[in-house]
Amino acid sequence: MPSQKPRVRRVPVAMPATGGHEQPWYRTIRFSGFSLLMLAIIVLFVVVLAPSLRTLVQQQEQIAQQQREVAAQKADVAQKKQDVARWDDPAYIEAQARDRLLYVYPGEESYLVMGSGEGSGDTKARTDSGSPVSSTVQTPKVDWVQAMLSSVLESGLTKKTTDQLVAPDVSGTGDPTGAASSDTK
Protein backbone atom coordinates (compact mmCIF):
# COMPACT_ATOMS: atom_id res chain seq x y z
CA MET A 1 0.00 0.00 0.00
CA PRO A 2 1.27 3.28 -0.86
CA SER A 3 1.57 5.72 1.98
CA GLN A 4 -1.13 8.21 1.99
CA LYS A 5 -0.47 11.79 2.75
CA PRO A 6 -2.89 13.50 5.01
CA ARG A 7 -5.15 15.75 3.17
CA VAL A 8 -4.72 19.37 3.86
CA ARG A 9 -7.34 21.68 2.76
CA ARG A 10 -6.45 25.26 2.26
CA VAL A 11 -9.04 27.87 2.96
CA PRO A 12 -8.50 31.45 1.95
CA VAL A 13 -8.69 33.85 4.90
CA ALA A 14 -9.12 37.53 4.64
CA MET A 15 -7.01 39.60 7.05
CA PRO A 16 -8.74 42.51 8.69
CA ALA A 17 -7.84 45.85 7.33
CA THR A 18 -5.40 47.79 9.47
CA GLY A 19 -7.19 51.01 10.08
CA GLY A 20 -6.52 53.86 12.50
CA HIS A 21 -8.72 52.19 15.09
CA GLU A 22 -6.42 49.82 17.04
CA GLN A 23 -7.31 48.28 20.36
CA PRO A 24 -4.99 48.66 23.37
CA TRP A 25 -2.87 45.68 24.31
CA TYR A 26 -4.84 44.91 27.48
CA ARG A 27 -8.03 44.40 25.44
CA THR A 28 -6.46 41.49 23.67
CA ILE A 29 -5.71 39.55 26.89
CA ARG A 30 -8.06 36.69 27.50
CA PHE A 31 -8.30 35.02 30.89
CA SER A 32 -9.11 31.39 31.23
CA GLY A 33 -10.40 29.76 34.39
CA PHE A 34 -6.96 28.31 35.11
CA SER A 35 -5.21 31.67 34.83
CA LEU A 36 -7.77 33.28 37.16
CA LEU A 37 -7.28 30.46 39.66
CA MET A 38 -3.50 30.85 39.54
CA LEU A 39 -3.81 34.63 39.98
CA ALA A 40 -6.03 34.10 43.03
CA ILE A 41 -3.53 31.63 44.51
CA ILE A 42 -0.66 34.09 44.00
CA VAL A 43 -2.62 36.91 45.66
CA LEU A 44 -3.56 34.61 48.54
CA PHE A 45 0.08 33.53 48.86
CA VAL A 46 1.22 37.17 49.09
CA VAL A 47 -1.51 38.11 51.58
CA VAL A 48 -0.78 35.13 53.83
CA LEU A 49 3.02 35.21 53.73
CA ALA A 50 3.73 38.96 53.67
CA PRO A 51 3.20 39.51 57.43
CA SER A 52 5.24 36.40 58.21
CA LEU A 53 8.07 37.58 55.99
CA ARG A 54 7.99 41.03 57.61
CA THR A 55 8.17 39.40 61.06
CA LEU A 56 11.04 37.22 59.88
CA VAL A 57 12.99 40.22 58.60
CA GLN A 58 12.42 42.13 61.88
CA GLN A 59 13.55 39.16 63.92
CA GLN A 60 16.67 38.79 61.79
CA GLU A 61 17.47 42.48 62.39
CA GLN A 62 16.96 42.04 66.15
CA ILE A 63 19.20 38.98 66.17
CA ALA A 64 21.91 40.86 64.30
CA GLN A 65 21.63 43.83 66.72
CA GLN A 66 21.86 41.56 69.76
CA GLN A 67 24.85 39.74 68.27
CA ARG A 68 26.59 43.10 67.84
CA GLU A 69 25.78 43.97 71.47
CA VAL A 70 27.13 40.61 72.65
CA ALA A 71 30.32 41.12 70.66
CA ALA A 72 30.76 44.61 72.16
CA GLN A 73 30.18 43.25 75.67
CA LYS A 74 32.68 40.45 75.08
CA ALA A 75 35.25 43.00 73.96
CA ASP A 76 34.48 45.05 77.09
CA VAL A 77 34.91 41.97 79.30
CA ALA A 78 38.23 41.18 77.62
CA GLN A 79 39.39 44.78 78.21
CA LYS A 80 38.35 44.61 81.86
CA LYS A 81 40.19 41.30 82.29
CA GLN A 82 43.32 42.95 80.89
CA ASP A 83 42.87 45.83 83.34
CA VAL A 84 42.50 43.41 86.26
CA ALA A 85 45.57 41.48 85.12
CA ARG A 86 47.51 44.76 84.89
CA TRP A 87 46.71 45.53 88.55
CA ASP A 88 48.45 42.28 89.55
CA ASP A 89 51.75 43.85 88.50
CA PRO A 90 53.45 45.68 91.42
CA ALA A 91 55.23 48.06 89.03
CA TYR A 92 51.89 49.18 87.58
CA ILE A 93 50.45 49.74 91.06
CA GLU A 94 53.48 51.82 91.98
CA ALA A 95 53.17 53.90 88.78
CA GLN A 96 49.47 54.51 89.43
CA ALA A 97 50.15 55.57 93.04
CA ARG A 98 52.81 58.01 91.85
CA ASP A 99 50.66 59.48 89.05
CA ARG A 100 47.20 59.55 90.59
CA LEU A 101 47.89 59.98 94.30
CA LEU A 102 51.20 61.87 93.98
CA TYR A 103 52.96 59.38 96.30
CA VAL A 104 56.73 59.52 96.57
CA TYR A 105 59.29 57.42 98.39
CA PRO A 106 60.79 58.78 101.62
CA GLY A 107 63.62 61.15 100.82
CA GLU A 108 62.30 62.03 97.35
CA GLU A 109 60.99 65.50 96.56
CA SER A 110 57.91 65.92 94.40
CA TYR A 111 57.22 69.05 92.37
CA LEU A 112 53.78 69.83 90.99
CA VAL A 113 53.92 72.23 88.04
CA MET A 114 50.80 74.37 87.72
CA GLY A 115 49.88 76.19 84.51
CA SER A 116 52.18 74.25 82.22
CA GLY A 117 49.80 74.72 79.25
CA GLU A 118 50.72 78.36 78.52
CA GLY A 119 50.48 77.86 74.77
CA SER A 120 46.72 77.30 74.97
CA GLY A 121 45.91 80.98 75.66
CA ASP A 122 43.85 80.14 78.80
CA THR A 123 45.77 81.50 81.79
CA LYS A 124 43.40 80.27 84.51
CA ALA A 125 43.04 76.63 85.38
CA ARG A 126 39.50 75.27 85.34
CA THR A 127 37.74 72.50 87.22
CA ASP A 128 35.83 69.67 85.57
CA SER A 129 32.64 71.72 85.77
CA GLY A 130 34.31 74.66 83.99
CA SER A 131 34.62 77.07 86.91
CA PRO A 132 38.00 78.78 87.38
CA VAL A 133 40.34 77.45 90.05
CA SER A 134 41.20 80.00 92.73
CA SER A 135 44.78 80.57 93.87
CA THR A 136 43.63 81.39 97.42
CA VAL A 137 42.19 79.05 100.00
CA GLN A 138 38.51 79.68 100.51
CA THR A 139 36.17 78.60 103.26
CA PRO A 140 32.55 77.97 102.41
CA LYS A 141 29.99 80.45 103.70
CA VAL A 142 27.32 77.77 103.95
CA ASP A 143 26.39 75.90 107.09
CA TRP A 144 25.25 72.71 105.39
CA VAL A 145 24.04 71.12 108.62
CA GLN A 146 21.72 74.06 109.30
CA ALA A 147 20.55 74.07 105.66
CA MET A 148 19.73 70.35 105.79
CA LEU A 149 17.96 70.65 109.13
CA SER A 150 15.88 73.63 107.98
CA SER A 151 14.98 71.79 104.77
CA VAL A 152 13.78 68.72 106.69
CA LEU A 153 11.83 70.76 109.22
CA GLU A 154 10.25 73.02 106.62
CA SER A 155 9.18 70.13 104.38
CA GLY A 156 7.80 68.20 107.34
CA LEU A 157 5.94 71.00 109.12
CA THR A 158 4.58 73.09 106.25
CA LYS A 159 1.29 72.84 104.41
CA LYS A 160 2.88 73.98 101.14
CA THR A 161 2.89 71.69 98.13
CA THR A 162 6.12 70.40 96.68
CA ASP A 163 5.90 72.97 93.88
CA GLN A 164 5.71 75.82 96.40
CA LEU A 165 8.68 74.70 98.48
CA VAL A 166 12.04 76.32 97.70
CA ALA A 167 15.41 74.62 97.96
CA PRO A 168 17.54 75.76 100.91
CA ASP A 169 20.20 78.41 100.42
CA VAL A 170 23.50 76.73 99.63
CA SER A 171 25.04 79.63 97.72
CA GLY A 172 26.01 81.62 100.82
CA THR A 173 24.19 84.73 99.60
CA GLY A 174 21.25 84.51 102.00
CA ASP A 175 18.67 84.32 99.19
CA PRO A 176 16.65 81.07 99.33
CA THR A 177 16.45 80.88 95.52
CA GLY A 178 20.24 80.97 95.23
CA ALA A 179 20.29 84.23 93.25
CA ALA A 180 22.04 87.34 94.54
CA SER A 181 19.53 89.98 95.60
CA SER A 182 20.10 93.69 95.08
CA ASP A 183 17.88 94.91 97.93
CA THR A 184 19.92 94.16 101.04
CA LYS A 185 18.92 95.78 104.35
Side-chain angles (χ1 to χ4, degrees):
M1 281 197 158
S3 72
Q4 291 183 342
K5 291 185 182 179
R7 279 189 161 183
V8 178
R9 186 172 175 202
R10 297 186 185 240
V11 178
V13 176
M15 299 296 287
T18 58
H21 185 70
E22 292 185 19
Q23 293 182 350
W25 63 273
Y26 55 85
R27 293 267 184 181
T28 60
I29 296 176
R30 303 257 163 98
F31 286 109
S32 66
F34 178 75
S35 62
L36 287 176
L37 179 68
M38 292 308 291
L39 183 63
I41 289 174
I42 290 172
V43 168
L44 182 66
F45 180 75
V46 168
V47 168
V48 168
L49 288 183
S52 300
L53 288 175
R54 182 175 51 103
T55 304
L56 176 71
V57 169
Q58 287 176 347
Q59 288 175 348
Q60 292 295 329
E61 289 174 359
Q62 287 175 352
I63 289 171
Q65 174 66 26
Q66 289 176 350
Q67 286 175 343
R68 286 191 295 270
E69 289 175 7
V70 166
Q73 289 174 354
K74 283 184 179 179
D76 189 39
V77 167
Q79 178 64 36
K80 292 194 185 309
K81 283 183 180 179
Q82 288 177 354
D83 290 344
V84 168
R86 198 178 310 148
W87 281 99
D88 288 337
D89 185 14
Y92 181 75
I93 294 172
E94 178 185 341
Q96 291 300 313
R98 286 177 168 268
D99 289 342
R100 292 183 183 183
L101 304 174
L102 304 175
Y103 282 5
V104 293
Y105 284 114
E108 289 183 351
E109 291 185 23
S110 176
Y111 296 99
L112 182 61
V113 179
M114 301 287 287
S116 62
E118 294 180 24
S120 66
D122 188 15
T123 58
K124 293 212 176 231
R126 299 205 173 266
T127 62
D128 291 338
S129 63
S131 60
V133 175
S134 170
S135 60
T136 61
V137 176
Q138 299 176 353
T139 58
K141 300 175 185 174
V142 177
D143 183 11
W144 66 270
V145 176
Q146 181 64 32
M148 182 182 70
L149 185 60
S150 68
S151 173
V152 169
L153 289 176
E154 184 179 355
S155 65
L157 299 175
T158 188
K159 295 186 188 273
K160 294 180 182 177
T161 64
T162 55
D163 295 334
Q164 295 169 338
L165 289 175
V166 179
D169 176 28
V170 292
S171 64
T173 61
D175 185 19
T177 61
S181 62
S182 60
D183 56 288
T184 57
K185 293 182 180 177

